[in-house]
Amino acid sequence: MAEANIAIEQLVSKEPNSKTILFTVSGQLDESNIDDKAKEVYKVIDDNQGKLNFIFDFAGLDYMNSKSIGYLTDWYGKIKERNGQVVITRAKQNITDILQVVGLTQLIKIYESIDEAKQALAETQTAPVAPVAPAPAPAQTPASAPATPAPAPAVPATEQEPSKGEDTYKLNA
Amino acid sequence: MLSNIFFIIILSTTIAAIPAAIWAYLFLKETSISKFHLIMLFIIGILTAPTLLGIQYLWQIYPTFNLGMLIETKIEQINIMYATLFILFGAMEEIIKHLAVRIIDKRTLAITTINNALRLSILAALGFSFAENIYYLYQLWGSLSVGEMTGVFIFRSGFTTCAHMIFSGIFGYYFGISKFAIDITKQQRVSGKTDLSTRIIAKLFATPIPHAHREKTILKGLLIAVLMHATYNFLLQFNVMIPVMLFVVLGYLFLRYLLNKKTGHLVLLTDVSVKKKSMLAKKDEDIIIELIGTWFEDKKYADVAYVCGRLLERDPDNNVVKLFKEKALDKIQDRNMYKKISNKISPEDKSIITKYL
């Protein structure tokens, strides 16, 4: 059974009726532990009413299985329904790579540090209209590319319009 | 002059060559298959008709093996007897035409796409039909008026030749699909939907799932082609042309439906022999494909199509991903007219990523 840990910490939020939760995830999220760990996150969502912002610190996360990506997507959906934000910090290259291909980095921004993520969230909260900024397009790296730290987003989370190419399938179109 | 056998054969051949040339031009003008292989297949296709005649001749010499006679003597109910006979002859014709395609495919590996499988099958049918037309024209020469002969020629050139091409085309389509058995069964496995009949065949014959799926697909193609062929022959016996013509048109529409379905489920020009290397680590790719499978099960079709599109940028020749994408698109852009009109597609879709993009 793979080891995985999620430490949950509530951060100080400047915005009233809003909470920012930091999830420090470490180890390997796989079939043996993901369902249990996911329950902890769902509990936070259920226990806290009102607007929620999530910061996932993936510095210690070595592996995510498909189910954990599915959960992450689901959490994003739930947080967005409450007008909150989800961001990721310090993800390793292999994790970033998968999230980029899945397209999650177009919704969930990845930052190099927790402070940067906090600041981005604060800016988003104070900005009157804040469109979601896309992550850079997935790089065409070979399968054997060495692991390098995830690149910081080039611009703050407000300036770029997400690209909606032909592969974007909007419902009710 | 008309009593000269050679002259009649040459004349029949020349007349029968006209529709064959026109149909061949229409179907093969854009193919990438070498002309040599096409000519070889056409010749083998021609030879399949006399081979069948040879088998029937052998039945007369060795009546013990005469399947036709067996059916005639054993089945008393006249309609069932005729239906069984038509199925027998339909099966013989379809199998022998398909064998011609198999011979060329085995020697040249020409069939790497469904498109090629279709075209080669149609060409084999054209060869068979060409030989059959020569035989009929030769047989009827002198016994019918010029007007009647013209009618027979037009009907056989148009409808009978077309019917042969449609039946073989359908069989060819399934033969082409069977080439993708590995990808199709992998896609089914990832989405947790392995076919029950495939599993039974695999178990019965102690064969791997992809092989069982391949054989099942070929058998399905043969069955459809044979049943259509038998129905066509059955309708012909009444000498009423409208139902026959309608049946050919319906057969054509069915083939068109299969082609449309194919472009939906598998890209028409996908070449099973060409594979570019993935730009993504296998372990990472497996995680994403697993996720796609789960989301497909969860009816997140828009997300599946979206993720597949992104993954195909990294691994453009991954047929499993292509299958998932096309199937998801089929679900989104549902071709079911009722669903389209009643707008019952979107609420079923539970996608998240595409909802917030």
Side-chain angles (χ1 to χ4, degrees), chain A residues 122-130 158:
Chain A
E123 281 171 12
T124 315
Q125 282 165 2
T126 51
V129 180
T158 49

Side-chain angles (χ1 to χ4, degrees), chain B residues 222-262:
Chain B
L222 174 67
L223 273 178
I224 295 173
V226 167
L227 285 178
M228 287 185 74
H229 199 137
T231 310
Y232 179 78
N233 285 349
F234 186 77
L235 290 174
L236 270 184
Q237 71 173 334
F238 297 109
N239 269 331
V240 186
M241 289 306 111
I242 295 198
V244 176
M245 289 172 180
L246 274 177
F247 187 72
V248 173
V249 172
L250 282 176
Y252 172 74
L253 291 176
F254 179 58
L255 187 59
R256 290 288 316 172
Y257 161 76
L258 287 177
L259 292 174
N260 284 336
K261 199 174 155 213
K262 170 168 56 58

